[in-house]
Amino acid sequence: MLTFVIPQDDIRQLKSLLNGSTKQLRKQLKVAVGKATSGVRTKMNKDIREVVALSVKGVNRVLHVKRKPTTSTLSSEIVLKKTKRGLTLKMYKPRQTGEGVSYRAFKGGGRQLIKHAFMGPTPKRLNPKLAGHVFERFGPKVQMTKGTYEGQMRQQIRKVYGPSPHQVHVENRLTPPTKKYARERLRHEVKRRIRFLQLKQSGGLRGNQA
């Protein structure tokens, strides 16, 4: 959990613009913390995607705002979920070929091939029941007890996973720059609230500048 202190000069300036109202002060600080939280999450998403070949939505499957600020609790919490197996390979744009399944996990890297992996019966015919996920066979053949191959001797199958965004964030030492950005972004958003109130008082607001 990251904890940052807003400079007292900024607090005094905000409170002065609000005629000393503590209630209104907390409302303005709530807005600042909320916008800073959103900015930090976006920055974390971008930093991870500079390493791995994932979409914004792909990273956001494990990166989310767990707690938003309120006027009574001026704090928030961003969670980058730690997963044991990473993200399903479905998120890394897999393609089934005659040899197996290829995918690209890292930015700037080529496609990798998992031999004999599959997404369906043939390269151009995917099995809708597998929902785009990638599977591979493993271990010795065992007798199937149910399903299409009941009674037959076949290898078991397991879903294949790609890199974990959490692991990428840790291994690439992205936490220290994230902390620095979060501290700077919070100060920036507090300054924005000050400028907004100053413009509001002077009648200089134009359009949606909140």
Side-chain angles (χ1 to χ4, degrees):
M1 183 175 179
L2 307 180
T3 303
F4 303 113
V5 178
I6 300 171
Q8 284 300 308
D9 286 348
D10 291 343
I11 297 291
R12 281 193 289 269
Q13 193 172 3
L14 264 177
K15 200 165 186 178
S16 175
L17 289 165
L18 295 166
N19 298 318
S21 171
T22 300
K23 181 178 179 180
Q24 291 301 317
L25 173 65
R26 297 189 74 85
K27 282 186 177 181
Q28 292 298 322
L29 291 177
K30 172 195 167 186
V31 174
V33 173
K35 288 184 177 293
T37 300
S38 178
V40 172
R41 184 194 184 202
T42 298
K43 178 69 163 52
M44 290 177 69
N45 188 303
K46 182 180 178 182
D47 288 346
I48 291 169
R49 288 185 293 108
E50 287 180 353
V51 180
V52 291
L54 284 170
S55 65
V56 172
K57 288 184 178 180
V59 175
N60 280 344
R61 288 170 65 94
V62 291
L63 175 66
H64 61 276
V65 177
K66 184 177 180 181
R67 187 179 70 250
K68 295 182 179 181
T70 66
T71 53
S72 59
T73 307
L74 294 171
S75 63
S76 61
E77 184 177 359
I78 299 174
V79 174
L80 178 56
K81 187 178 179 181
K82 185 176 182 180
T83 55
K84 292 182 179 179
R85 297 175 292 187
L87 289 181
T88 170
L89 212 62
K90 176 182 179 179
M91 308 305 299
Y92 291 93
K93 298 182 179 179
R95 298 176 193 160
Q96 183 162 308
T97 70
E99 296 180 86
V101 173
S102 70
Y103 68 99
R104 186 165 74 98
F106 297 98
K107 285 286 183 72
R111 295 185 71 82
Q112 298 170 268
L113 177 70
I114 304 176
K115 289 188 175 182
H116 310 302
F118 60 92
M119 300 167 70
T122 63
K124 294 184 179 181
R125 185 182 165 202
L126 304 183
N127 186 340
K129 291 183 179 180
L130 301 184
H133 293 291
V134 179
F135 291 83
E136 64 179 352
R137 300 192 181 280
F138 70 99
K141 290 184 178 181
V142 296
Q143 187 173 27
M144 299 291 102
T145 58
K146 58 183 179 180
T148 305
Y149 303 103
E150 183 177 356
Q152 297 183 30
M153 298 296 292
R154 296 178 68 88
Q155 286 180 294
Q156 298 181 74
I157 65 171
R158 62 187 172 197
K159 191 183 293 184
V160 184
Y161 294 82
S164 158
H166 180 276
Q167 187 175 359
V168 167
H169 201 270
V170 172
E171 290 183 352
N172 287 272
R173 299 174 182 173
L174 297 175
T175 300
T178 297
K179 289 181 178 179
K180 181 175 182 292
Y181 178 82
R183 186 180 298 107
E184 293 171 348
R185 184 59 186 260
L186 178 58
R187 182 80 189 276
H188 169 75
E189 293 298 342
V190 171
K191 290 290 189 183
R192 281 187 66 187
R193 302 319 301 163
I194 292 172
R195 289 195 297 273
F196 165 72
L197 292 171
Q198 289 172 336
L199 284 171
K200 186 177 180 181
Q201 286 189 1
S202 66
L205 280 180
R206 294 181 180 178
N208 184 15
Q209 293 182 285

